[in-house]
Amino acid sequence: MTTTLTTRTVSYPADGLTMVGHLALPAGTGRRPAILLGPEGPGLNDVQRRRADALAELGYVALAFDINGGRWFTDPQEMLARALPLLADPDRMRDIGHAALDVLRAEPRTDPDRVAGIGYGTGGAILLELGRAGVDLKAIGTINALTTGRPGEAAHIRCPVWAGVGSEDPIMPAVQRDAFAAEMQAAGVDWRLTVYGGAEHAFHHPTVEHAVRPGVAYHPRHAERSWRDILALLAECVPVTD
Amino acid sequence: MTTTLTTRTVSYPADGLTMVGHLALPAGTGRRPAILLGPEGPGLNDVQRRRADALAELGYVALAFDINGGRWFTDPQEMLARALPLLADPDRMRDIGHAALDVLRAEPRTDPDRVAGIGYGTGGAILLELGRAGVDLKAIGTINALTTGRPGEAAHIRCPVWAGVGSEDPIMPAVQRDAFAAEMQAAGVDWRLTVYGGAEHAFHHPTVEHAVRPGVAYHPRHAERSWRDILALLAECVPVTD
């Protein structure tokens, strides 16, 4: 198979920072379904850039967006100092998401009527907030992002939501799974939740080292399964048809 | 596409009854991975027979096995009178499962080293009991079968387990999801649980009528998704390679 993937670094302002995203375009010339891909709290790194590339190889326009102004935090305390206030502020999350969405929609290859979002951790929380803001996404897929929103706003989500989480994730315990499920169900959302048995936080991320802290570990089998589950969501909601 | 599916009705003794299963063979002549397909409490009907046929079209040998001696119970009380004592007796469930497994293994097209099980409700509980008995299955996939076993026996399960359930299933409430997850996790099983938001009991079954009782309803979208999830499990664990 010959792939003629094109990638581009895109800079744009959001949240008082200059965000540095990674845009991946599929072969061909026409409009294609487009995916917003949100990274976890530490920021955008090559793991997520390569996922955007993988989506482009499947025929999607994909933007791996930035949440930290070009930074990848290796120090957990520095990461939390950025992520925790952000996660507590739906309006800031929406601004970051809208800015990325504007970049994606401005790309001529993007079919603006077929945009879906997938995200990990903080990036997933941002996509859920776009949904709660009523943005027309065709699917929202998240991993480790069982964040609940402001009362009543989940009713604005009009697309299927798929969420994945590790059973042993200390940051996303059973009580949070239940709270997220209850919010989605009360809002009448078409939702699903997959619990990956034995998986800890960041289970999907090959560069995470177990030593970072207890409860954080890469789980290769579930990482691969979760990627397949996300691709199945996209195939259902925004199939590549041309 | 030309399919030359072959099907056969197979009768065999188990649990003091004559079981009447439905065996579906794929095109070709060689050995193939083989699937035990267990039906829900009311029994084996055309819905599950057609699922076995669909598996054969994908290249699997598939046996939709019987649990009720050829009967399909339409009366819920009659069904429960059969199913509840059965579900309370792991040894009887294992006998029914072993008898079906013997039929499947006796089929010359079956590759005895590549047998997996999928099951719905009571049929799923039977497959989990085969796993707890230490039977060499390559995958166990269940829907609406979050039955826990005798203490310690889940450690005999040596294959990936995938379980699906509706979030609004009154027979499989959150407390049972948690108990099943805890059993699998404590036993070191490679497990996953997918919760289908808004789905009620028997959500996968097109002939179920809402009127049967509250909490029971067909859910077409989740029915299709759950079938895709099962096929993904089989593709991972017992891929058709020839």
Side-chain angles (χ1 to χ4, degrees):
Chain A
M1 193 171 90
T2 306
T3 54
T4 53
L5 177 67
T6 307
T7 65
R8 200 157 70 224
T9 300
V10 288
S11 296
Y12 56 95
D15 197 40
L17 300 169
T18 298
M19 300 295 181
V20 185
H22 175 85
L23 182 66
L25 304 176
T29 55
R31 290 185 184 275
R32 295 288 186 277
I35 314 299
L36 271 183
L37 194 164
E40 50 276 65
L44 179 60
N45 74 354
D46 277 347
V47 171
Q48 300 293 10
R49 293 188 189 100
R50 292 299 84 77
R51 287 192 176 125
D53 295 349
L55 292 172
E57 285 171 6
L58 293 170
Y60 294 103
V61 177
L63 174 65
F65 64 88
D66 180 14
I67 59 174
N68 292 336
R71 294 200 56 191
W72 165 266
F73 295 113
T74 52
D75 174 16
Q77 293 311 316
E78 207 175 2
M79 183 272 282
L80 291 173
R82 163 91 187 145
L84 293 183
L86 185 57
L87 287 166
D89 191 335
D91 293 319
R92 277 180 67 201
M93 287 198 280
R94 291 177 191 190
D95 285 346
I96 292 173
H98 272 294
L101 184 61
D102 288 345
V103 170
L104 185 61
R105 285 177 176 276
E107 163 56 44
R109 298 292 307 282
T110 292
D111 181 343
D113 294 327
R114 291 186 289 168
V115 177
I118 61 178
Y120 295 73
T122 303
I126 288 172
L127 289 164
L128 287 166
E129 282 306 318
L130 286 184
R132 294 187 185 103
V135 169
D136 178 28
L137 298 171
K138 299 308 183 197
I140 298 174
T142 71
I143 288 182
N144 298 345
L146 301 178
T147 50
T148 48
R150 288 185 291 226
E153 292 193 339
H156 300 138
I157 299 176
R158 290 166 298 193
C159 64
V161 170
W162 175 89
V165 68
S167 73
E168 307 306 302
D169 185 335
I171 302 171
M172 300 275 156
V175 63
Q176 189 159 351
R177 303 201 294 260
D178 294 345
F180 180 78
E183 184 198 28
M184 293 295 119
Q185 183 61 20
V189 174
D190 174 13
W191 66 277
R192 276 174 291 167
L193 173 64
T194 292
V195 182
Y196 298 99
E200 297 178 286
H201 196 67
F203 71 89
H204 54 84
H205 206 290
T207 67
V208 160
E209 292 178 29
H210 211 117
V212 174
R213 62 180 168 187
V216 177
Y218 178 47
H219 192 302
R221 278 178 311 200
H222 285 323
E224 186 179 334
R225 290 164 177 162
S226 66
W227 181 243
R228 284 201 308 258
D229 285 340
I230 282 174
L231 294 183
L233 174 74
L234 299 181
E236 174 189 327
C237 299
V238 282
V240 176
T241 53
D242 45 2
Chain B
M1 192 171 90
T2 307
T3 53
T4 54
L5 177 67
T6 307
T7 65
R8 200 157 73 223
T9 300
V10 288
S11 297
Y12 56 95
D15 197 40
L17 300 169
T18 298
M19 301 295 181
V20 185
H22 175 84
L23 182 66
L25 304 177
T29 55
R31 290 186 185 274
R32 295 288 186 277
I35 315 298
L36 270 183
L37 194 165
E40 51 276 65
L44 179 60
N45 74 354
D46 277 347
V47 171
Q48 300 293 9
R49 293 188 188 99
R50 293 298 84 77
R51 288 192 175 123
D53 295 349
L55 291 173
E57 286 171 7
L58 292 170
Y60 294 103
V61 176
L63 174 65
F65 64 87
D66 180 15
I67 59 175
N68 292 336
R71 293 200 56 191
W72 165 264
F73 296 114
T74 52
D75 174 16
Q77 293 311 316
E78 206 175 3
M79 183 272 283
L80 291 173
R82 164 89 187 146
L84 292 182
L86 184 57
L87 286 166
D89 191 334
D91 292 320
R92 277 181 66 204
M93 287 198 280
R94 292 177 191 192
D95 285 347
I96 292 173
H98 273 295
L101 184 60
D102 288 347
V103 170
L104 185 61
R105 285 177 175 277
E107 163 56 43
R109 297 292 306 284
T110 293
D111 180 343
D113 293 327
R114 291 185 289 167
V115 177
I118 61 178
Y120 295 73
T122 303
I126 288 172
L127 289 164
L128 287 166
E129 282 308 318
L130 286 185
R132 293 186 185 104
V135 169
D136 178 26
L137 299 172
K138 298 308 183 196
I140 298 174
T142 71
I143 288 182
N144 298 344
L146 301 178
T147 49
T148 48
R150 288 185 291 226
E153 292 192 338
H156 299 139
I157 299 176
R158 289 166 300 191
C159 64
V161 170
W162 174 91
V165 69
S167 72
E168 308 305 303
D169 186 335
I171 303 170
M172 300 277 157
V175 63
Q176 191 159 350
R177 303 201 294 261
D178 294 345
F180 180 78
E183 184 198 28
M184 292 295 119
Q185 183 61 20
V189 175
D190 174 13
W191 65 278
R192 275 173 292 167
L193 172 65
T194 292
V195 182
Y196 298 99
E200 298 178 286
H201 196 67
F203 72 89
H204 55 85
H205 205 291
T207 66
V208 160
E209 291 178 30
H210 211 118
V212 173
R213 62 179 165 183
V216 177
Y218 177 46
H219 193 301
R221 278 178 312 200
H222 285 323
E224 186 179 335
R225 289 163 176 163
S226 66
W227 182 243
R228 285 203 305 258
D229 285 340
I230 282 175
L231 294 184
L233 174 74
L234 299 181
E236 174 189 328
C237 299
V238 282
V240 176
T241 53
D242 45 1

